[in-house]
Amino acid sequence: MKMLIVANWKMNPVTLEEAERLFDSISKEIKGLGQESIVICPPFIYLQQLLTSVNSKKIAFGGQDCFYQEKGAFTGEISPLMLKTLGCQYVIIGHSERKKYFQETDEIVNKKLQLVLKNRLKPILCIGEQARDAFDSQGKSVNEMSLVVGEQLERALSGISSGRIIDVAIAYEPVWAIGTGIPCLSDDAMKAALFIRKILTNLYNRSIADRVSILYGGSVASYNVIDYTKAAGMNGVLVGGASLNATEFIKIVKKVYEVS
Ligand code: PGA
């Protein structure tokens, strides 16, 4: 399976000039490399400009979110159809920051996923537990990851057919690891990936489960990226903070492709 490296710029940078500079530095370096699959997800407002300046098939674009209706009176929203028409191939769905600041529920995530797939965009579906696995007051282990991830996945994928699930990339992003500089241990990431494949096997079947890309996200940097793409067997990474620094992002890309 081809490795996927997704850059989530979030609400950065603050000017188009800076966005163009960041993008130019990344695309110049990427040109000299091999068969990378890189997805840049800038703020919506920069997409058009960056899409017209891209001259490499190795770079695709994605939205950081979208709405679950194609068009209409939904002030402030962007539809999957708009992203598709603009030339995007991907869209991030259900990021934990959408859940935290915009009260997005699993049901909303499911509606978005349905419409994204209908519009032939590839969704990057984010799931992940809030807190690290811990022990309850009786000293019994509380497995946050499997409780939360299992439930989120089943709800988000409700009604998604076996023909469509293979277009979904699932990003395992433990919320406690996002933007904290405390990345998940590679063993724990591997456990999460195996658990996700098990759920997919139950919902679909083994051969379909094996064809779905599973990414890791949460404090990914050049020093730890191969813990996920090699040691934990992930099919790629979702990079936040480190994708805003062109040099660091390119280092991440190089590390992934040296070992894949
Ligand atoms: P981070 O963000 O790499 O800054 O932890 C990851 C994400 O939010 O997708």
Side-chain angles (χ1 to χ4, degrees):
M1 215 183 279
K2 208 166 170 183
M3 286 283 173
L4 197 61
I5 304 174
V6 185
N8 176 10
W9 288 2
K10 308 192 180 183
M11 202 169 71
N12 300 292
V14 290
T15 67
L16 175 61
E17 288 69 29
E18 284 173 272
E20 286 181 304
R21 230 179 296 133
L22 175 59
F23 180 70
D24 285 348
S25 317
I26 293 171
S27 58
K28 255 187 229 138
E29 288 279 342
I30 301 284
K31 260 193 194 163
L33 303 177
Q35 289 298 305
E36 299 72 22
S37 252
I38 291 158
V39 183
I40 308 275
C41 302
F44 291 130
I45 197 167
Y46 306 142
L47 271 169
Q48 167 123 43
Q49 184 62 29
L50 299 184
L51 266 155
T52 48
S53 70
V54 68
N55 55 10
S56 166
K57 288 210 168 68
K58 294 176 196 168
I59 300 182
F61 283 90
Q64 296 174 11
D65 179 41
C66 64
F67 194 54
Y68 54 76
Q69 296 283 346
E70 250 154 41
K71 59 178 185 164
F74 304 104
T75 302
E77 294 298 321
I78 303 275
S79 78
L81 181 58
M82 291 170 177
L83 291 172
K84 179 78 183 176
T85 311
L86 201 61
C88 287
Q89 294 177 39
Y90 291 84
V91 58
I92 299 172
I93 298 291
H95 191 281
S96 64
E97 284 150 16
R98 300 291 316 169
K99 290 179 176 150
K100 180 175 173 191
Y101 299 112
F102 305 96
Q103 291 72 48
E104 255 187 45
T105 60
D106 294 334
E107 289 63 38
I108 293 175
V109 171
N110 176 253
K111 283 201 226 175
K112 291 184 175 186
L113 202 59
Q114 307 254 13
L115 194 65
V116 164
L117 288 166
K118 184 173 164 233
N119 282 280
R120 303 276 172 204
L121 278 167
K122 294 179 184 164
I124 298 157
L125 170 67
C126 300
I127 51 172
E129 75 281 7
Q130 289 289 331
R132 224 173 178 157
D133 286 354
F135 296 91
D136 67 14
S137 51
Q138 272 86 50
K140 200 166 147 266
S141 157
V142 183
N143 194 336
E144 276 282 332
M145 187 279 288
S146 56
L147 285 175
V148 178
V149 164
E151 206 174 89
Q152 282 179 347
L153 203 54
E154 280 168 12
R155 287 189 185 162
L157 296 180
S158 164
I160 305 293
S161 71
S162 49
R164 290 281 165 90
I165 181 68
I166 44 185
D167 289 328
V168 180
I170 296 171
Y172 170 62
E173 295 208 301
V175 179
W176 51 266
I178 296 178
T180 57
I182 308 169
C184 182
L185 297 174
S186 65
D187 272 4
D188 291 340
M190 184 165 70
K191 274 185 212 151
L194 291 171
F195 180 73
I196 291 167
R197 286 216 201 277
K198 195 173 114 192
I199 302 260
L200 292 172
T201 303
N202 291 342
L203 292 176
Y204 302 94
N205 63 47
R206 176 75 196 273
S207 82
I208 289 176
D210 285 345
R211 288 167 64 198
V212 175
S213 281
I214 302 179
L215 318 180
Y216 169 78
S219 296
V220 172
S222 59
Y223 82 89
N224 64 20
V225 65
I226 61 166
D227 292 350
Y228 307 110
T229 54
K230 197 176 182 207
M234 294 278 178
N235 308 110
V237 281
L238 177 46
V239 189
S243 71
L244 296 170
N245 176 326
T247 315
E248 173 64 3
F249 185 65
I250 292 298
K251 270 198 203 162
I252 291 174
V253 174
K254 286 185 176 164
K255 289 261 175 149
V256 170
Y257 287 96
E258 270 165 25
V259 293
S260 64

